[in-house]
């Protein structure tokens, strides 16, 4: 609801130079990309391939389930937000860090229930590590995308 409220809000926040409409648009565009990414490369299938079939030959095998979920959670959120924030970033040339933190935080709040539902049968440590990875990936992806776009266009 917060994301849609920011999207349909016409005027900027009082005293703020942030464009909340474009941030909400970036978040809403990143969600289908994440769903498509999870559809074509399901987290459970990727982890099954890396942890159980070839644990010694792939880098994720040595991390264990918690480390693997942390890494993949970060990667699965970083890629869509990096792409979307880089594309939307041409409109947001001012203060990329603030825009990135807001975008990454909103995106994380949108996908947090999905992480909880998908990891219902897993241990609490796996669920927390997946959520922490998703938070780190969201913030890093959005800030990096906006920052790269800002530095490439100036």
């Amino acid at each position: 609801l917060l994301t849609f409220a920011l999207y349909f809000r016409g005027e900027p926040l009082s005293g703020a130079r942030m464009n909340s409409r474009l941030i909400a648009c970036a978040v809403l565009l990143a969600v289908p990309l994440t769903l498509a990414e999870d559809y074509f490369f399901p987290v459970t299938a990727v982890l099954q391939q890396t942890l159980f079939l070839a644990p010694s030959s792939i880098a994720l095998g040595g991390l264990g389930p918690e480390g693997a979920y942390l890494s993949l959670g970060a990667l699965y959120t970083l890629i869509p937000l990096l792409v979307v924030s880089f594309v939307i970033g041409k409109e947001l040339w001012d203060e990329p860090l603030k825009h990135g933190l807001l975008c990454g935080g909103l995106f994380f709040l949108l996908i947090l229930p999905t992480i909880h539902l998908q990891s219902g049968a897993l241990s609490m440590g796996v669920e927390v590590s997946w959520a922490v990875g998703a938070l780190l990936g969201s913030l890093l992806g959005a800030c990096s995308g906006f920052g790269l776009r800002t530095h490439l266009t100036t």
Side-chain angles (χ1 to χ4, degrees), residues 63-112:
L63 296 176
E66 288 85 7
Y69 271 96
L70 180 91
S71 302
L72 286 178
L75 186 66
Y76 272 53
T77 56
L78 186 136
I79 293 170
L81 273 176
L82 182 66
V83 170
V84 169
S85 61
F86 184 79
V87 171
I88 299 272
K90 67 181 179 179
E91 304 294 327
L92 300 172
W93 52 270
D94 195 23
E95 299 178 352
L97 184 62
K98 287 182 183 178
H99 287 100
L101 290 175
L102 179 63
C103 182
L106 282 175
F107 182 75
F108 174 71
L109 289 176
L110 274 178
I111 65 167
L112 189 59

Side-chain angles (χ1 to χ4, degrees), residues 20-55:
S20 59
R21 184 181 178 109
L22 285 174
I23 294 296
C25 183
V27 169
L28 293 173
L29 287 174
V31 169
L33 287 177
T34 304
L35 292 174
E37 182 181 39
D38 191 47
Y39 178 76
F40 289 112
F41 305 105
V43 174
T44 54
V46 171
L47 285 175
Q48 185 179 22
Q49 291 288 328
T50 58
L51 290 177
F52 301 119
L53 297 181

Side-chain angles (χ1 to χ4, degrees), residues 90-144:
K90 67 181 179 179
E91 304 294 327
L92 300 172
W93 52 270
D94 195 23
E95 299 178 352
L97 184 62
K98 287 182 183 178
H99 287 100
L101 290 175
L102 179 63
C103 182
L106 282 175
F107 182 75
F108 174 71
L109 289 176
L110 274 178
I111 65 167
L112 189 59
T114 306
I115 292 171
H116 178 67
L117 289 174
Q118 285 183 337
S119 62
L122 303 171
S123 69
M124 185 63 139
V126 169
E127 182 176 357
V128 169
S129 64
W130 191 355
V132 168
L135 177 64
L136 294 174
S138 298
L139 295 176
L140 184 64
C143 291
S144 299

